[in-house]
Amino acid sequence: NAGVTQTPKFQVLKTGQSMTLQCAQDMNHNSMYWYRQDPGMGLRLIYYSASEGTTDKGEVPNGYNVSRLNKREFSLRLESAAPSQTSVYFCASSENSYEQYFGPGTRLTVT
Amino acid sequence: SQKIEQNSEALNIQEGKTATLTCNYTNYSPAYLQWYRQDPGRGPVFLLLIRENEKEKRKERLKVTFDTTLKQSLFHITASQPADSATYLCALPVSGGSYIPTFGRGTSLIVHP
């Protein structure tokens, strides 16, 4: 039982490049989330998916897109990366609206 | 807008003492409040949830209080150990239409042997 897994662990992009961050959970949770964490800013919600087939914007959605591929997988795409998107990205899942299980994070640097 | 405040200064305490961390919030009255632990380089880990009709909740050496009048939650770790050193985040929903919690910026706890 791996919980929440994220790939890649580290990534360096040049401005304007695109990439997709992958997230998968094996707990059969309905809800999944993408957060970014920056020094001094805390965790901020980018997008979430309350259930398979639905996605909604969070606090900071600009510059990102998401896909809920199936119940297990929720991906985050940066179409044209910008230095302001340098951050640590966390995926999380939850069965109810309360306890969230987080992945290990992806450290992204955009130069 | 809703604001969640946690002390940005690290809390340094001696092993064996009780650590007390504070989470204050404004405006909205949340239905629940959560506490998470985050170690460097890792994702947050859920610790405790307390609901608005609960004054106190305990789990092993952890105790959380929730004062909806003061709009404050206190998080206590009794008999603290160096292994308790981490950043502790509080999280709560910030609007009536959302069930998803918003996270505070966290307080770093350092327990000295």
Side-chain angles (χ1 to χ4, degrees), chain A residues 23 32-34 47-49 55 66-68 72-75:
Chain A
C23 173
M32 297 186 73
Y33 314 83
W34 275 105
Y47 270 93
Y48 68 98
S49 171
T55 61
V66 290
S67 295
R68 184 73 183 267
R72 288 188 66 248
E73 298 171 289
F74 189 37
S75 63

Side-chain angles (χ1 to χ4, degrees), chain B residues 40-56:
Chain B
R42 304 180 84 103
V45 175
F46 173 82
L47 296 175
L48 280 168
L49 178 148
I50 186 165
R51 298 178 193 277
E52 61 180 335
N53 61 347
E54 298 175 312
K55 296 291 185 191
E56 180 180 300

Side-chain angles (χ1 to χ4, degrees), chain B residues 9 21 41 58 62 64-65 70 74 80 84 86 89 91 108:
Chain B
E9 283 187 26
L21 305 175
R58 293 175 185 260
L62 308 181
V64 172
T65 63
L70 289 179
L74 298 179
S80 59
D84 295 326
L89 311 172
S108 175

Side-chain angles (χ1 to χ4, degrees), chain A residues 37 40 90 97-98 100 107, chain B residues 34 36 38 41 43 49 99 105:
Chain A
Q37 187 172 39
F90 288 102
S97 58
Y98 305 135
Q100 294 194 15
R107 282 142 191 83
Chain B
Q34 301 176 330
Y36 288 77
Q38 187 173 23
L49 178 148
Y99 64 91
R105 298 179 184 184

